[in-house]
Amino acid sequence: MGATKSEHFTDEQNQLAILTKALGHPARIAIIQYLLKVNTCICGDIVNELPLSQPTVSQHLKELKNAGLIKGNVEGNAICYCINEIGFAKIKGLFTQVDLHLEKTKNECC
Amino acid sequence: MGATKSEHFTDEQNQLAILTKALGHPARIAIIQYLLKVNTCICGDIVNELPLSQPTVSQHLKELKNAGLIKGNVEGNAICYCINEIGFAKIKGLFTQVDLHLEKTKNECC
DNA sequence: TTTTTATATTGCAATATTACGATATATATC
DNA sequence: GATATATATCGTAATATTGCAATATAAAAA
């Protein structure tokens, strides 16, 4: 074994897992934070910001893009990456539910 | 290779990655959603809710607990699991920043 | 104390992820 | 066209994750 049994879960569960899994690496968190910091599209200096090789960074960018957390547009011979709000909006739903739950229960159990 | 180079990233980045990675599996999303749904501590029926064996579910629960997303208290010979607000609060910070960013930029780039 | 019930741990096989050197591709500039 | 620059892909080694059967542990009930 070793393969996730995604066919046994709902589409929503698989979607949320894909999104959160894509965030689940410090390099990819760093990429998102960098995109937030520069507050505008950046066109290729992410490699210089990270302690990883160019192919590795490219791979992380691809994963974030596939998951729907960033967008990448060709801009000359560089590429402009930026936050994809759609992906983040989907995750946000889960956190809203957590907040509602905590308000309701005040987490008085454990 | 194959090991994440966590020593090259900040503590905050590693912490966020640990939290989001723990959410990055449909079974663990399903566990969180179930805890939200029952709206109270559950004491062992998670195994019956999931299409996975008892050892596998136990492992997923352990990962969520280690990451700080759920708490587990012994309750007789069963165990009471529930949401750990601290873990969720930490992730929430990232999403707040994303929201602020999107408000400021209106994401007019890509 | 024995048995039952609930959960955790161990061991292992299958698969996935991470990382990077080498190389390919694609656009810009000369 | 030739060259430079930016990014992606391939190939591959090291490591991590997923899943479960078997087994261990620990508390409750008999």
Side-chain angles (χ1 to χ4, degrees), chain B residues 72-110:
Chain B
N73 281 43
V74 177
E75 191 98 5
N77 69 338
I79 292 188
C80 173
Y81 281 108
C82 64
I83 298 287
N84 184 347
E85 47 207 311
I86 298 170
F88 280 92
K90 282 182 188 163
I91 310 181
K92 220 181 145 183
L94 181 67
F95 286 85
T96 307
Q97 280 186 293
V98 173
D99 284 346
L100 284 173
H101 167 83
L102 291 175
E103 274 175 40
K104 236 190 284 183
T105 65
K106 312 231 191 249
N107 231 38
E108 279 158 351
C109 33
C110 299

Side-chain angles (χ1 to χ4, degrees), chain A residues 73-98:
Chain A
N73 282 44
V74 178
E75 193 95 2
N77 71 337
I79 292 190
C80 172
Y81 280 108
C82 64
I83 299 286
N84 183 346
E85 48 206 315
I86 299 171
F88 281 92
K90 282 181 189 165
I91 310 181
K92 220 180 145 185
L94 181 66
F95 287 86
T96 307
Q97 280 187 294
V98 173

Side-chain angles (χ1 to χ4, degrees), chain B:
Chain B
M1 273 112 235
T4 294
K5 293 181 141 190
S6 32
E7 68 277 13
H8 293 142
F9 297 97
T10 67
D11 285 350
E12 192 203 9
Q13 285 162 348
N14 283 315
Q15 245 296 305
L16 283 171
I18 285 167
L19 288 161
T20 49
K21 188 179 189 177
L23 281 177
H25 190 287
R28 296 195 289 267
I29 294 283
I31 290 170
I32 297 296
Q33 288 181 331
Y34 184 66
L35 284 170
L36 293 174
K37 194 183 85 181
V38 295
N39 210 21
T40 173
C41 280
I42 49 94
C43 302
D45 35 21
I46 309 183
V47 173
N48 299 318
E49 285 290 319
L50 295 187
L52 296 169
S53 72
Q54 181 269 322
T56 304
V57 172
S58 180
Q59 200 174 273
H60 284 305
L61 286 167
K62 189 181 175 184
E63 282 178 63
L64 285 170
K65 198 178 166 187
N66 286 341
L69 290 166
I70 63 173
K71 294 184 275 189
N73 281 43
V74 177
E75 191 98 5
N77 69 338
I79 292 188
C80 173
Y81 281 108
C82 64
I83 298 287
N84 184 347
E85 47 207 311
I86 298 170
F88 280 92
K90 282 182 188 163
I91 310 181
K92 220 181 145 183
L94 181 67
F95 286 85
T96 307
Q97 280 186 293
V98 173
D99 284 346
L100 284 173
H101 167 83
L102 291 175
E103 274 175 40
K104 236 190 284 183
T105 65
K106 312 231 191 249
N107 231 38
E108 279 158 351
C109 33
C110 299

